[in-house]
Amino acid sequence: MVKRSAEDEGDLRSPLKKGERPMSSDAQSTLDDMDEEFEDDFEDEFESEDEIFEAGVDGRPDAEREAEEKDAMDIDRKTFMIGRNKLAAGESLAPDPSAYEMLHTLSMRWPCLSFDFLPDDLGSNRKTYPATLYAVAGTQADSRKSRENELIVMKLSGLSRMERDHDASDSDSDSDSDSESTEPILETKSLPLRTTTNRIRAHRFPASSSASTPKTLTATMTESAHLLIHDITPHLTSFDTPGTTIPPSSSQPLSTLTCHGSTEGYALSWSPLFPQGKLLSGDNSGSIYLTSPSSSAGGSSWVSDPRPFTGHTASVEDLAWSPNERNVFASASSDGTVKVWDIRSKSHSPAIDATVSSTDVNVLSWSKLTPHLLATGAEDGGWGVWDLRSWKNPPSLSPSTSSAAGGGGSGGGGGSGRLNPSAVASFNFHTDQITSIEWHPTDDSIVAVAGGDNMLTLWDLSVELDDEESRDTAGVEGVPPQLLFVHYVEGVKEAHWHGQIPGVVGATGVGGFGFFKSISV
């Protein structure tokens, strides 16, 4: 990050227009009265043209003038570490444009605690600009105006890359075709919610035929403890099909599920391996419910199994389905544990129970490319990576006894049969709670981590740890060599990789949204 002085740095003269400053009427009339040839009263003061250039445009040496301008706008280009360095009075942070390939921010009327990228038909592995992406988010309006909460479906287009001077030797084949700067365009459609969105996740269903449109559903965990399922397909279609009419009924949920009673929650996850949809939701009482489409309603109605998965002794903070075993999922809890479950279990108790933190485990992410790797982030700012191959199922967690073992012991206390595994990698760079963690969708060594310290960090776990190097990375003490990039997001709540535009990250915080691609990934 770059520190920029917040002092007034400009004069009060008229602004430049096309490189020229407008003249006053008196000065212009004086020039009109002059002859084409006139005597220079100062011609004897300069012996050569070189001396005139050295004197500068205002009669002072250029060096003197430049020093004064630098004082007026002092830029400190030393590395500024958020959470470790403090801004002096009158200083503010500004991103270094040279560190980004793309950077766009979006302010909203109300902040959003959660959002999700939406799959589209524009192709995978997109690298050209300007970029287009789709997303959905839920708002957190002021408590006195809770009825103004809404679900927002967004299309962002015209997202250009950062403007920078290209060297003549630049051989990038895309530099000529897609470097033109464009104005970003935001299009939105809103659905009324009247309550705060704690967590929102989207799922795209395969098209029933080549002539039909794939259906996109959203699941929303709300502050009122309801689980809402909406069909936002008409809203997405309206962005790209002029004349599309959105019927009023489309703003109403397909299903309003009350399986959690009056207990709100934050954990929510669609299965990637059930094309017709299977949804997990967890609440603050430690219960996890499985929701499936009603077989008699053809996917237009949803029903929750009334029997919850139980075993956590505190709130369920996050859920993740296995990327390769369709009946397996993992949960993270404030009791300091991660549990692994099989939805076929008649006892609805965990198959594996592991303590991974002495504090709340806030988030987890299952690697799509390397299914035995699981990443978790905790309340104390630490995050780690776990090799599930070492989480052997102890005898006390066999199917006949797992019910007792799963609920036994205090949070993080290592009850009967509970594992205490060691992380294959762990980091304590963040200085506040971890609020989001996610593996890169196409690179199993890259992880995005967001924290309550206003930092969104990108990490490369393929970088080997060297004790001497880890103490002093890039001239900054205490920075692990695996740290690739630090991006500032005020009050960041969630961060996600875009699944079809490599390296693009989206984040939401109290100040709005940010969408960027760093030069590092």
Side-chain angles (χ1 to χ4, degrees), residues 247-406:
S249 59
S250 295
S251 295
Q252 301 301 317
L254 294 177
S255 295
T256 300
L257 303 164
T258 58
C259 51
H260 295 279
S262 59
T263 305
E264 68 174 314
Y266 292 85
L268 196 61
S269 181
W270 288 98
S271 169
L273 301 180
F274 284 92
Q276 299 308 317
K278 227 170 220 350
L279 180 68
L280 290 166
S281 55
D283 61 35
N284 291 347
S285 70
S287 297
I288 302 169
Y289 288 87
L290 178 66
T291 299
S292 306
S294 173
S295 57
S296 61
S300 60
S301 180
W302 294 72
V303 60
S304 298
D305 188 331
R307 301 170 302 150
F309 294 89
T310 57
H312 283 296
T313 58
S315 63
V316 178
E317 297 294 318
D318 204 1
L319 293 160
W321 289 87
S322 167
N324 67 332
E325 295 185 66
R326 70 196 313 252
N327 295 306
V328 176
F329 71 91
S331 58
S333 171
S334 294
D335 61 16
T337 70
V338 166
K339 303 185 192 298
V340 181
W341 316 69
D342 190 321
I343 62 174
R344 298 168 296 184
S345 168
K346 294 182 179 180
S347 64
H348 279 209
S349 55
I352 299 177
D353 184 0
T355 298
V356 300
S357 176
S358 59
T359 61
D360 301 1
V361 185
N362 294 334
V363 288
L364 82 166
S365 178
W366 211 319
S367 172
K368 295 180 176 63
L369 300 179
T370 309
H372 61 264
L373 293 181
L374 191 73
T376 62
E379 185 75 13
D380 60 4
W383 71 276
V385 177
W386 310 86
D387 187 341
L388 298 181
R389 294 174 299 183
S390 66
W391 291 19
K392 303 301 182 182
N393 193 8
S396 59
L397 282 181
S398 62
S400 60
T401 60
S402 60
S403 178

Side-chain angles (χ1 to χ4, degrees), residues 113-447:
L113 294 175
S114 181
F115 85 104
D116 203 5
F117 282 124
L118 299 174
D120 57 54
D121 296 317
L122 300 180
S124 299
N125 199 31
R126 305 199 298 264
K127 297 181 180 180
T128 58
Y129 292 91
T132 298
L133 56 85
Y134 300 80
V136 63
T139 62
Q140 182 191 24
D142 187 281
S143 58
R144 296 167 297 178
K145 298 182 178 181
S146 61
R147 297 180 66 84
E148 295 185 11
N149 277 297
E150 56 189 1
L151 186 154
I152 305 174
V153 185
M154 298 177 279
K155 176 185 178 181
L156 295 96
S157 56
L159 303 179
S160 59
R161 68 168 63 192
M162 301 295 291
E163 294 184 9
R164 56 171 56 95
D165 295 331
H166 293 280
D167 295 334
S169 60
D170 188 359
S171 59
D172 186 355
S173 60
D174 294 332
S175 62
D176 295 331
S177 61
D178 57 15
S179 60
E180 182 178 352
S181 177
T182 59
E183 288 295 328
I185 299 172
L186 171 66
E187 301 171 72
T188 65
K189 301 294 181 182
S190 299
L191 293 76
L193 284 185
R194 307 186 188 285
T195 182
T196 292
T197 294
N198 289 348
R199 187 72 51 86
I200 187 168
R201 292 292 181 263
H203 178 70
R204 195 185 203 202
F205 292 71
S208 57
S209 67
S210 58
S212 62
T213 301
K215 181 187 297 185
T216 301
L217 299 190
T218 61
T220 308
M221 288 284 283
T222 69
E223 191 177 47
S224 60
H226 291 157
L227 174 58
L228 307 178
I229 297 180
H230 287 88
D231 183 356
I232 61 170
T233 308
H235 307 80
L236 285 172
T237 303
S238 68
F239 291 139
D240 303 311
T241 306
T244 299
T245 301
I246 303 176
S249 59
S250 295
S251 295
Q252 301 301 317
L254 294 177
S255 295
T256 300
L257 303 164
T258 58
C259 51
H260 295 279
S262 59
T263 305
E264 68 174 314
Y266 292 85
L268 196 61
S269 181
W270 288 98
S271 169
L273 301 180
F274 284 92
Q276 299 308 317
K278 227 170 220 350
L279 180 68
L280 290 166
S281 55
D283 61 35
N284 291 347
S285 70
S287 297
I288 302 169
Y289 288 87
L290 178 66
T291 299
S292 306
S294 173
S295 57
S296 61
S300 60
S301 180
W302 294 72
V303 60
S304 298
D305 188 331
R307 301 170 302 150
F309 294 89
T310 57
H312 283 296
T313 58
S315 63
V316 178
E317 297 294 318
D318 204 1
L319 293 160
W321 289 87
S322 167
N324 67 332
E325 295 185 66
R326 70 196 313 252
N327 295 306
V328 176
F329 71 91
S331 58
S333 171
S334 294
D335 61 16
T337 70
V338 166
K339 303 185 192 298
V340 181
W341 316 69
D342 190 321
I343 62 174
R344 298 168 296 184
S345 168
K346 294 182 179 180
S347 64
H348 279 209
S349 55
I352 299 177
D353 184 0
T355 298
V356 300
S357 176
S358 59
T359 61
D360 301 1
V361 185
N362 294 334
V363 288
L364 82 166
S365 178
W366 211 319
S367 172
K368 295 180 176 63
L369 300 179
T370 309
H372 61 264
L373 293 181
L374 191 73
T376 62
E379 185 75 13
D380 60 4
W383 71 276
V385 177
W386 310 86
D387 187 341
L388 298 181
R389 294 174 299 183
S390 66
W391 291 19
K392 303 301 182 182
N393 193 8
S396 59
L397 282 181
S398 62
S400 60
T401 60
S402 60
S403 178
S410 58
S416 174
R418 181 168 296 169
L419 302 175
N420 287 279
S422 298
V424 295
S426 60
F427 303 92
N428 292 287
F429 178 76
H430 284 269
T431 59
D432 206 334
Q433 62 175 324
I434 302 301
T435 59
S436 187
I437 192 167
E438 189 168 288
W439 291 93
H440 191 288
T442 59
D443 189 331
D444 61 0
S445 66
I446 306 296
V447 183

